[in-house]
Amino acid sequence: MRVKYKINGIVQGVGFRPTVYKIAKKLNLKGYVLNSSDGVIIEIEGENKDKFLDELKKNLPPLARIDSIESEILDFVGFKDFVIKESQNTQKTTSISPDIAVCDDCLKEMYDKNDRRYLYPFINCTNCGPRYTIIENIPYDRKNTSMKKFKMCKFCEIEYNDPLNRRYHAQPISCYDCGPKLDVKRKNDSGKWKSLNFDDEINKIKYIAKKIKEGKIVAIKGLGGFHLVCDATNEGAVGNLRERKRRPSKPFAMMFKDLDMIKDYCDITDKDVALITSKEKPIVLVKKKKDLKGIADKIDRYGVFLPYTPLHYLLFDFLDFPIVATSANISDEPIIRDSDELIEKLSNVIDYILDNDRDIVNACDDSVVQAVGDEYITMRCARGYAPLMENGKGTVENGQWKMDNGKWSNDDGQWKMDNGQCMVDNGEWKVDNDKSKGEKSYGKLNILAVGANQKNTISLAFKDKFILSPHIGDLGTLGSIEYFQRTIETFRKLYEFEEDVIICDKHPYYESTKWALSQDKKIFQIQHHYAHALATMFEHNLKGEYLCFIFDGTGYGDDGTIWGGEVFIANRHDYKRIHHIKPFKLIGGEKAVKNPANMAVALIDDELAKNYPNYKIAKALNNASFPLTSSMGRMFDMVAFLSGIIEKNEWEGISGLLIEKYYNPEINEKIELKIEKDIDFRPVLNFAAANRGEFERVSSVFINTLVDMIEKIAKIYDLPVIVGGGVFQNKTLLELVNKRLNPYFNKKIPINDGGVSVGQAAWGIWNL
């Protein structure tokens, strides 16, 4: 008897086949393993074949993830040995692994003077290094990556072809003799950029470190694009970067040599440490301890991360201070991935370039996450996490359906699906209506969801696969719109995907919506805040009705006004708007986002409004025609302005971060809002104006009032609660609500507009 397995998940380019090979040899099994574009195929014969799956699950490679295992019993053929076969091409549905930080084994070798890759800045193995950023097509073989131009030397080739070697089929494998090279560029007196000559690679890094110490601004090529780098402790260098980049106050992220250095500058929790040191190495928002001028002025948070490439580690061998490491781009445009574009767009910003000749095929920014108690939220899903793939398949063991670290079951042992029923019978998985065995399909149609206008992502759903793209960004420039379209083409190519339907937002002026409506496809438009709720339902596989609090800055409402402070009763198929902030005029239109002064003063009582210099103009403008909004994001802005915390919004999100900074848990005061369909927040605004200058009291009362309002509404409806939208990036607000109501909220899917495409696709999966 022979057993054939088809295994899907993150199983290519992560050392999966060598692991299978080692286990098969250990158990004296015969057969083969191969990569196909539809997963990993394994056939085995031998007395110990029943032990194979248990051994595989116990010994998975660090980056591997099994989402589905399909098995089939076949006739005995008499294999003579166990071998790894060449990859096969079928329909492309295999997951692409995100780029992963350099592993400890590679770092150990890199600092071993006897190793042939001693101090090699591109060291990697099957367990680490670039993946998505170098892939041109799948299956993930070297010929389908940007590494194909580097011919392996005989020593790398031996490692590459040895199933027992850690670098077996590690596609970016290379060394000093056959791999990419660093290139230092400097602008000469005539304004042209020229490469500088050095004896070896480490002297190039040492030279760049010296320039950083001197206060210069350097562009360094990483995994998914260039960083702009300078000494974070040098106020003059940071100021120069801000002036040249025309970024007057928005915080910069900082890279630190190690965890101890982070602890010198930040107060971090155990959860912060777990996120900072994870294999993904994201940017993590943490509490300040020591202030560095110009990095994140006014707020009490830093965005910190650790080195994640060999080059970063080597750079810090010559630096003993944190560095600014911010995305190299023009404001609101995607991260730059090649030096020609860098020189074209940022030549006047940078003094030196540390480039290399390993091409970045797919740009990918750094991920941003934040601890929320013992949980976390994702604010930007990119390097290390994305492409984020969910698989609708699983395995049946002992009569239970298992998938993604959870169990799916319901009454009477039946698994119910939208289009039929599946049931477990004597340990076998049976599906009515000729559905595929053991499969939870993501619908009959190929779905492309194109997300929102800010923090844009796209999502694909087809067969049993769901894929969230890395962060694309705000679609406010030609460059970002081009990147949005390029990302769609990339995923179409990688998965040989052609959408049957496109799902987009209802906002007529969103660039993603305009693009969708220009395509010759069936289009569905989903309300923005409902998409937030659906994204949470999708991540947690929620069925039934939920009370959904969706608070953000803006979203096109069904009545043509701008929503943003919404309470829904919603399920997978429909929603009802039951409460919302009483609409107010967005005086100044889009300009009110940056300057909330007139909007705020127009809403408060006259005797309070007279204390503000813009009183007369605000009251006059309130009689003019402006869009109506129920935005909670604007409510934060107005409270911050009226209390004197801000004069204007210097960058997105500052009002929320400052209110959070001034929140005092010892202040229990709150305002009792009347819970009606239209919830009037003017008492909160009047309080902020009446207590102008009392930052702690106003901030604390405002947050307490929000939490109290949410709790009171939750008691009325007695339904499980969902919270979502960009306002819930406010750590204090989310932690307080979480303690009282234990709501569902997005964690690995962005809680902000980066998750909108997920909700759109989820609606398509459940309704089309």
Side-chain angles (χ1 to χ4, degrees), residues 230-235 238 242 247 249-254 288 291-299 301-303 322-324:
C230 71
D231 179 356
T233 67
N234 184 331
E235 188 177 347
V238 175
R242 288 202 175 280
R247 181 171 169 165
S249 57
K250 189 175 180 181
F252 285 137
M254 290 187 292
K288 280 183 185 178
D291 193 46
L292 288 169
K293 295 293 184 183
I295 298 298
D297 293 342
K298 297 185 179 179
I299 65 171
R301 302 287 165 85
Y302 285 137
I323 56 174
V324 169

PDB file of all heavy atoms in Angstrom, residues 230-235 238 242 247 249-254 288 291-299 301-303 322-324:
ATOM      1  N   CYS A 230      20.192  58.057   9.545  1.00  0.00           N
ATOM      2  CA  CYS A 230      21.111  59.008  10.160  1.00  0.00           C
ATOM      3  C   CYS A 230      21.210  58.687  11.649  1.00  0.00           C
ATOM      4  O   CYS A 230      20.476  57.837  12.165  1.00  0.00           O
ATOM      5  CB  CYS A 230      20.665  60.461   9.936  1.00  0.00           C
ATOM      6  SG  CYS A 230      19.196  60.946  10.861  1.00  0.00           S
ATOM      7  N   ASP A 231      22.108  59.348  12.327  1.00  0.00           N
ATOM      8  CA  ASP A 231      22.309  59.170  13.763  1.00  0.00           C
ATOM      9  C   ASP A 231      21.107  59.744  14.511  1.00  0.00           C
ATOM     10  O   ASP A 231      20.861  60.946  14.495  1.00  0.00           O
ATOM     11  CB  ASP A 231      23.602  59.890  14.176  1.00  0.00           C
ATOM     12  CG  ASP A 231      23.902  59.801  15.665  1.00  0.00           C
ATOM     13  OD1 ASP A 231      23.080  59.250  16.423  1.00  0.00           O
ATOM     14  OD2 ASP A 231      24.968  60.309  16.071  1.00  0.00           O
ATOM     15  N   ALA A 232      20.346  58.874  15.185  1.00  0.00           N
ATOM     16  CA  ALA A 232      19.135  59.319  15.877  1.00  0.00           C
ATOM     17  C   ALA A 232      19.440  60.187  17.084  1.00  0.00           C
ATOM     18  O   ALA A 232      18.565  60.923  17.566  1.00  0.00           O
ATOM     19  CB  ALA A 232      18.306  58.108  16.300  1.00  0.00           C
ATOM     20  N   THR A 233      20.674  60.125  17.578  1.00  0.00           N
ATOM     21  CA  THR A 233      21.052  60.936  18.742  1.00  0.00           C
ATOM     22  C   THR A 233      21.633  62.285  18.344  1.00  0.00           C
ATOM     23  O   THR A 233      21.942  63.106  19.209  1.00  0.00           O
ATOM     24  CB  THR A 233      22.076  60.191  19.614  1.00  0.00           C
ATOM     25  OG1 THR A 233      23.315  60.055  18.894  1.00  0.00           O
ATOM     26  CG2 THR A 233      21.572  58.807  20.002  1.00  0.00           C
ATOM     27  N   ASN A 234      21.794  62.521  17.044  1.00  0.00           N
ATOM     28  CA  ASN A 234      22.367  63.763  16.528  1.00  0.00           C
ATOM     29  C   ASN A 234      21.226  64.677  16.088  1.00  0.00           C
ATOM     30  O   ASN A 234      20.655  64.499  15.013  1.00  0.00           O
ATOM     31  CB  ASN A 234      23.305  63.449  15.362  1.00  0.00           C
ATOM     32  CG  ASN A 234      24.018  64.676  14.819  1.00  0.00           C
ATOM     33  OD1 ASN A 234      23.504  65.788  14.885  1.00  0.00           O
ATOM     34  ND2 ASN A 234      25.203  64.470  14.272  1.00  0.00           N
ATOM     35  N   GLU A 235      20.888  65.648  16.935  1.00  0.00           N
ATOM     36  CA  GLU A 235      19.745  66.516  16.656  1.00  0.00           C
ATOM     37  C   GLU A 235      19.918  67.268  15.337  1.00  0.00           C
ATOM     38  O   GLU A 235      18.949  67.473  14.588  1.00  0.00           O
ATOM     39  CB  GLU A 235      19.566  67.503  17.812  1.00  0.00           C
ATOM     40  CG  GLU A 235      18.297  68.313  17.723  1.00  0.00           C
ATOM     41  CD  GLU A 235      18.108  69.241  18.924  1.00  0.00           C
ATOM     42  OE1 GLU A 235      18.841  69.067  19.929  1.00  0.00           O
ATOM     43  OE2 GLU A 235      17.254  70.144  18.845  1.00  0.00           O
ATOM     44  N   VAL A 238      19.196  64.791  12.407  1.00  0.00           N
ATOM     45  CA  VAL A 238      17.755  64.524  12.329  1.00  0.00           C
ATOM     46  C   VAL A 238      17.035  65.747  11.762  1.00  0.00           C
ATOM     47  O   VAL A 238      16.132  65.622  10.918  1.00  0.00           O
ATOM     48  CB  VAL A 238      17.188  64.144  13.718  1.00  0.00           C
ATOM     49  CG1 VAL A 238      15.671  63.998  13.663  1.00  0.00           C
ATOM     50  CG2 VAL A 238      17.828  62.853  14.225  1.00  0.00           C
ATOM     51  N   ARG A 242      14.768  66.039   8.331  1.00  0.00           N
ATOM     52  CA  ARG A 242      13.400  66.575   8.306  1.00  0.00           C
ATOM     53  C   ARG A 242      13.273  67.721   7.293  1.00  0.00           C
ATOM     54  O   ARG A 242      12.312  67.784   6.523  1.00  0.00           O
ATOM     55  CB  ARG A 242      13.000  67.068   9.695  1.00  0.00           C
ATOM     56  CG  ARG A 242      12.760  65.941  10.684  1.00  0.00           C
ATOM     57  CD  ARG A 242      11.880  66.391  11.848  1.00  0.00           C
ATOM     58  NE  ARG A 242      11.565  65.270  12.719  1.00  0.00           N
ATOM     59  CZ  ARG A 242      10.623  64.359  12.478  1.00  0.00           C
ATOM     60  NH1 ARG A 242       9.909  64.453  11.368  1.00  0.00           N
ATOM     61  NH2 ARG A 242      10.386  63.381  13.321  1.00  0.00           N
ATOM     62  N   ARG A 247       9.515  66.869   6.037  1.00  0.00           N
ATOM     63  CA  ARG A 247       8.706  66.106   6.996  1.00  0.00           C
ATOM     64  C   ARG A 247       8.930  66.768   8.356  1.00  0.00           C
ATOM     65  O   ARG A 247       9.748  66.327   9.144  1.00  0.00           O
ATOM     66  CB  ARG A 247       9.143  64.646   6.996  1.00  0.00           C
ATOM     67  CG  ARG A 247       8.371  63.748   7.936  1.00  0.00           C
ATOM     68  CD  ARG A 247       8.750  62.304   7.680  1.00  0.00           C
ATOM     69  NE  ARG A 247       8.251  61.406   8.697  1.00  0.00           N
ATOM     70  CZ  ARG A 247       8.192  60.094   8.553  1.00  0.00           C
ATOM     71  NH1 ARG A 247       8.603  59.523   7.430  1.00  0.00           N
ATOM     72  NH2 ARG A 247       7.742  59.325   9.523  1.00  0.00           N
ATOM     73  N   SER A 249       7.432  67.103  11.328  1.00  0.00           N
ATOM     74  CA  SER A 249       7.197  66.616  12.698  1.00  0.00           C
ATOM     75  C   SER A 249       6.750  65.160  12.801  1.00  0.00           C
ATOM     76  O   SER A 249       6.775  64.605  13.899  1.00  0.00           O
ATOM     77  CB  SER A 249       6.152  67.501  13.395  1.00  0.00           C
ATOM     78  OG  SER A 249       4.945  67.523  12.649  1.00  0.00           O
ATOM     79  N   LYS A 250       6.333  64.534  11.744  1.00  0.00           N
ATOM     80  CA  LYS A 250       5.862  63.152  11.827  1.00  0.00           C
ATOM     81  C   LYS A 250       6.984  62.258  12.354  1.00  0.00           C
ATOM     82  O   LYS A 250       8.138  62.376  11.935  1.00  0.00           O
ATOM     83  CB  LYS A 250       5.423  62.661  10.442  1.00  0.00           C
ATOM     84  CG  LYS A 250       4.709  61.319  10.471  1.00  0.00           C
ATOM     85  CD  LYS A 250       4.205  60.955   9.078  1.00  0.00           C
ATOM     86  CE  LYS A 250       3.497  59.614   9.104  1.00  0.00           C
ATOM     87  NZ  LYS A 250       3.010  59.230   7.751  1.00  0.00           N
ATOM     88  N   PRO A 251       6.691  61.359  13.307  1.00  0.00           N
ATOM     89  CA  PRO A 251       7.760  60.577  13.946  1.00  0.00           C
ATOM     90  C   PRO A 251       8.567  59.725  12.977  1.00  0.00           C
ATOM     91  O   PRO A 251       8.058  59.277  11.946  1.00  0.00           O
ATOM     92  CB  PRO A 251       6.988  59.682  14.931  1.00  0.00           C
ATOM     93  CG  PRO A 251       5.738  60.428  15.218  1.00  0.00           C
ATOM     94  CD  PRO A 251       5.380  61.119  13.935  1.00  0.00           C
ATOM     95  N   PHE A 252       9.828  59.517  13.318  1.00  0.00           N
ATOM     96  CA  PHE A 252      10.711  58.601  12.606  1.00  0.00           C
ATOM     97  C   PHE A 252      10.826  57.293  13.393  1.00  0.00           C
ATOM     98  O   PHE A 252      10.874  57.309  14.633  1.00  0.00           O
ATOM     99  CB  PHE A 252      12.123  59.189  12.480  1.00  0.00           C
ATOM    100  CG  PHE A 252      12.259  60.282  11.464  1.00  0.00           C
ATOM    101  CD1 PHE A 252      12.990  61.429  11.768  1.00  0.00           C
ATOM    102  CD2 PHE A 252      11.695  60.174  10.201  1.00  0.00           C
ATOM    103  CE1 PHE A 252      13.147  62.449  10.834  1.00  0.00           C
ATOM    104  CE2 PHE A 252      11.849  61.187   9.259  1.00  0.00           C
ATOM    105  CZ  PHE A 252      12.572  62.326   9.579  1.00  0.00           C
ATOM    106  N   ALA A 253      10.907  56.191  12.684  1.00  0.00           N
ATOM    107  CA  ALA A 253      11.222  54.915  13.324  1.00  0.00           C
ATOM    108  C   ALA A 253      12.726  54.839  13.564  1.00  0.00           C
ATOM    109  O   ALA A 253      13.519  55.442  12.833  1.00  0.00           O
ATOM    110  CB  ALA A 253      10.773  53.755  12.447  1.00  0.00           C
ATOM    111  N   MET A 254      13.108  54.091  14.593  1.00  0.00           N
ATOM    112  CA  MET A 254      14.523  53.925  14.910  1.00  0.00           C
ATOM    113  C   MET A 254      14.893  52.453  14.980  1.00  0.00           C
ATOM    114  O   MET A 254      14.142  51.638  15.528  1.00  0.00           O
ATOM    115  CB  MET A 254      14.847  54.572  16.262  1.00  0.00           C
ATOM    116  CG  MET A 254      14.795  56.071  16.276  1.00  0.00           C
ATOM    117  SD  MET A 254      15.388  56.728  17.876  1.00  0.00           S
ATOM    118  CE  MET A 254      14.102  56.185  18.985  1.00  0.00           C
ATOM    119  N   LYS A 288       8.265  55.828  25.531  1.00  0.00           N
ATOM    120  CA  LYS A 288       9.549  56.511  25.679  1.00  0.00           C
ATOM    121  C   LYS A 288      10.043  56.439  27.122  1.00  0.00           C
ATOM    122  O   LYS A 288       9.264  56.489  28.060  1.00  0.00           O
ATOM    123  CB  LYS A 288       9.402  58.001  25.346  1.00  0.00           C
ATOM    124  CG  LYS A 288       9.382  58.395  23.910  1.00  0.00           C
ATOM    125  CD  LYS A 288       9.313  59.920  23.840  1.00  0.00           C
ATOM    126  CE  LYS A 288       9.168  60.430  22.426  1.00  0.00           C
ATOM    127  NZ  LYS A 288       9.065  61.899  22.386  1.00  0.00           N
ATOM    128  N   ASP A 291      14.208  61.025  26.015  1.00  0.00           N
ATOM    129  CA  ASP A 291      13.754  61.807  24.865  1.00  0.00           C
ATOM    130  C   ASP A 291      14.909  62.109  23.920  1.00  0.00           C
ATOM    131  O   ASP A 291      15.975  62.557  24.335  1.00  0.00           O
ATOM    132  CB  ASP A 291      13.122  63.113  25.336  1.00  0.00           C
ATOM    133  CG  ASP A 291      12.349  63.805  24.226  1.00  0.00           C
ATOM    134  OD1 ASP A 291      11.585  63.119  23.527  1.00  0.00           O
ATOM    135  OD2 ASP A 291      12.522  65.031  24.052  1.00  0.00           O
ATOM    136  N   LEU A 292      14.685  61.845  22.640  1.00  0.00           N
ATOM    137  CA  LEU A 292      15.640  62.191  21.589  1.00  0.00           C
ATOM    138  C   LEU A 292      15.001  63.271  20.728  1.00  0.00           C
ATOM    139  O   LEU A 292      13.974  63.041  20.075  1.00  0.00           O
ATOM    140  CB  LEU A 292      15.969  60.952  20.738  1.00  0.00           C
ATOM    141  CG  LEU A 292      16.836  59.890  21.413  1.00  0.00           C
ATOM    142  CD1 LEU A 292      16.868  58.616  20.582  1.00  0.00           C
ATOM    143  CD2 LEU A 292      18.254  60.409  21.623  1.00  0.00           C
ATOM    144  N   LYS A 293      15.591  64.447  20.729  1.00  0.00           N
ATOM    145  CA  LYS A 293      15.010  65.586  20.032  1.00  0.00           C
ATOM    146  C   LYS A 293      14.863  65.304  18.536  1.00  0.00           C
ATOM    147  O   LYS A 293      15.788  64.827  17.882  1.00  0.00           O
ATOM    148  CB  LYS A 293      15.874  66.833  20.229  1.00  0.00           C
ATOM    149  CG  LYS A 293      15.934  67.333  21.672  1.00  0.00           C
ATOM    150  CD  LYS A 293      14.575  67.850  22.123  1.00  0.00           C
ATOM    151  CE  LYS A 293      14.662  68.433  23.524  1.00  0.00           C
ATOM    152  NZ  LYS A 293      13.339  68.886  24.016  1.00  0.00           N
ATOM    153  N   GLY A 294      13.668  65.623  18.038  1.00  0.00           N
ATOM    154  CA  GLY A 294      13.432  65.513  16.607  1.00  0.00           C
ATOM    155  C   GLY A 294      12.933  64.159  16.145  1.00  0.00           C
ATOM    156  O   GLY A 294      12.522  64.015  14.993  1.00  0.00           O
ATOM    157  N   ILE A 295      12.936  63.152  17.006  1.00  0.00           N
ATOM    158  CA  ILE A 295      12.523  61.808  16.575  1.00  0.00           C
ATOM    159  C   ILE A 295      11.015  61.640  16.622  1.00  0.00           C
ATOM    160  O   ILE A 295      10.384  61.254  15.633  1.00  0.00           O
ATOM    161  CB  ILE A 295      13.203  60.723  17.445  1.00  0.00           C
ATOM    162  CG1 ILE A 295      14.721  60.794  17.292  1.00  0.00           C
ATOM    163  CG2 ILE A 295      12.690  59.332  17.056  1.00  0.00           C
ATOM    164  CD1 ILE A 295      15.229  60.529  15.892  1.00  0.00           C
ATOM    165  N   ALA A 296      10.426  61.915  17.767  1.00  0.00           N
ATOM    166  CA  ALA A 296       8.972  61.775  17.935  1.00  0.00           C
ATOM    167  C   ALA A 296       8.528  62.816  18.950  1.00  0.00           C
ATOM    168  O   ALA A 296       8.020  62.489  20.021  1.00  0.00           O
ATOM    169  CB  ALA A 296       8.618  60.363  18.385  1.00  0.00           C
ATOM    170  N   ASP A 297       8.748  64.080  18.607  1.00  0.00           N
ATOM    171  CA  ASP A 297       8.461  65.167  19.537  1.00  0.00           C
ATOM    172  C   ASP A 297       6.974  65.209  19.881  1.00  0.00           C
ATOM    173  O   ASP A 297       6.118  64.843  19.072  1.00  0.00           O
ATOM    174  CB  ASP A 297       8.894  66.502  18.937  1.00  0.00           C
ATOM    175  CG  ASP A 297      10.412  66.608  18.796  1.00  0.00           C
ATOM    176  OD1 ASP A 297      11.113  65.827  19.464  1.00  0.00           O
ATOM    177  OD2 ASP A 297      10.882  67.452  18.009  1.00  0.00           O
ATOM    178  N   LYS A 298       6.686  65.648  21.078  1.00  0.00           N
ATOM    179  CA  LYS A 298       5.338  65.847  21.632  1.00  0.00           C
ATOM    180  C   LYS A 298       4.710  64.551  22.140  1.00  0.00           C
ATOM    181  O   LYS A 298       4.105  64.539  23.200  1.00  0.00           O
ATOM    182  CB  LYS A 298       4.402  66.527  20.620  1.00  0.00           C
ATOM    183  CG  LYS A 298       4.841  67.928  20.216  1.00  0.00           C
ATOM    184  CD  LYS A 298       3.815  68.575  19.312  1.00  0.00           C
ATOM    185  CE  LYS A 298       4.272  69.996  18.925  1.00  0.00           C
ATOM    186  NZ  LYS A 298       3.302  70.639  18.024  1.00  0.00           N
ATOM    187  N   ILE A 299       4.801  63.444  21.396  1.00  0.00           N
ATOM    188  CA  ILE A 299       4.147  62.213  21.836  1.00  0.00           C
ATOM    189  C   ILE A 299       5.072  61.422  22.760  1.00  0.00           C
ATOM    190  O   ILE A 299       6.259  61.738  22.893  1.00  0.00           O
ATOM    191  CB  ILE A 299       3.702  61.343  20.644  1.00  0.00           C
ATOM    192  CG1 ILE A 299       4.900  60.828  19.841  1.00  0.00           C
ATOM    193  CG2 ILE A 299       2.756  62.121  19.741  1.00  0.00           C
ATOM    194  CD1 ILE A 299       4.535  59.798  18.791  1.00  0.00           C
ATOM    195  N   ARG A 301       5.690  58.053  22.532  1.00  0.00           N
ATOM    196  CA  ARG A 301       5.974  56.753  21.929  1.00  0.00           C
ATOM    197  C   ARG A 301       7.137  56.841  20.953  1.00  0.00           C
ATOM    198  O   ARG A 301       7.386  57.879  20.350  1.00  0.00           O
ATOM    199  CB  ARG A 301       4.750  56.235  21.138  1.00  0.00           C
ATOM    200  CG  ARG A 301       3.498  56.092  21.960  1.00  0.00           C
ATOM    201  CD  ARG A 301       3.568  54.909  22.900  1.00  0.00           C
ATOM    202  NE  ARG A 301       2.532  54.976  23.904  1.00  0.00           N
ATOM    203  CZ  ARG A 301       1.297  54.523  23.723  1.00  0.00           C
ATOM    204  NH1 ARG A 301       0.955  53.996  22.577  1.00  0.00           N
ATOM    205  NH2 ARG A 301       0.425  54.605  24.701  1.00  0.00           N
ATOM    206  N   TYR A 302       7.841  55.737  20.823  1.00  0.00           N
ATOM    207  CA  TYR A 302       8.804  55.549  19.747  1.00  0.00           C
ATOM    208  C   TYR A 302       8.377  54.333  18.931  1.00  0.00           C
ATOM    209  O   TYR A 302       7.793  53.385  19.469  1.00  0.00           O
ATOM    210  CB  TYR A 302      10.207  55.270  20.293  1.00  0.00           C
ATOM    211  CG  TYR A 302      10.955  56.448  20.865  1.00  0.00           C
ATOM    212  CD1 TYR A 302      11.666  56.325  22.054  1.00  0.00           C
ATOM    213  CD2 TYR A 302      10.988  57.676  20.203  1.00  0.00           C
ATOM    214  CE1 TYR A 302      12.378  57.387  22.581  1.00  0.00           C
ATOM    215  CE2 TYR A 302      11.694  58.745  20.725  1.00  0.00           C
ATOM    216  CZ  TYR A 302      12.384  58.601  21.913  1.00  0.00           C
ATOM    217  OH  TYR A 302      13.083  59.665  22.427  1.00  0.00           O
ATOM    218  N   GLY A 303       8.722  54.353  17.651  1.00  0.00           N
ATOM    219  CA  GLY A 303       8.646  53.147  16.828  1.00  0.00           C
ATOM    220  C   GLY A 303      10.037  52.553  16.755  1.00  0.00           C
ATOM    221  O   GLY A 303      10.959  53.187  16.224  1.00  0.00           O
ATOM    222  N   PRO A 322      21.433  54.396  18.403  1.00  0.00           N
ATOM    223  CA  PRO A 322      20.324  54.070  17.501  1.00  0.00           C
ATOM    224  C   PRO A 322      20.368  54.940  16.251  1.00  0.00           C
ATOM    225  O   PRO A 322      20.902  56.054  16.268  1.00  0.00           O
ATOM    226  CB  PRO A 322      19.080  54.371  18.339  1.00  0.00           C
ATOM    227  CG  PRO A 322      19.534  55.357  19.360  1.00  0.00           C
ATOM    228  CD  PRO A 322      20.972  55.037  19.651  1.00  0.00           C
ATOM    229  N   ILE A 323      19.803  54.427  15.180  1.00  0.00           N
ATOM    230  CA  ILE A 323      19.753  55.169  13.925  1.00  0.00           C
ATOM    231  C   ILE A 323      18.302  55.373  13.491  1.00  0.00           C
ATOM    232  O   ILE A 323      17.445  54.526  13.733  1.00  0.00           O
ATOM    233  CB  ILE A 323      20.528  54.460  12.795  1.00  0.00           C
ATOM    234  CG1 ILE A 323      20.021  53.020  12.570  1.00  0.00           C
ATOM    235  CG2 ILE A 323      22.026  54.473  13.071  1.00  0.00           C
ATOM    236  CD1 ILE A 323      20.644  52.303  11.389  1.00  0.00           C
ATOM    237  N   VAL A 324      18.037  56.524  12.897  1.00  0.00           N
ATOM    238  CA  VAL A 324      16.778  56.690  12.175  1.00  0.00           C
ATOM    239  C   VAL A 324      16.820  55.735  10.993  1.00  0.00           C
ATOM    240  O   VAL A 324      17.835  55.637  10.291  1.00  0.00           O
ATOM    241  CB  VAL A 324      16.618  58.141  11.675  1.00  0.00           C
ATOM    242  CG1 VAL A 324      15.456  58.241  10.697  1.00  0.00           C
ATOM    243  CG2 VAL A 324      16.423  59.098  12.836  1.00  0.00           C
TER     244      VAL A 324
END
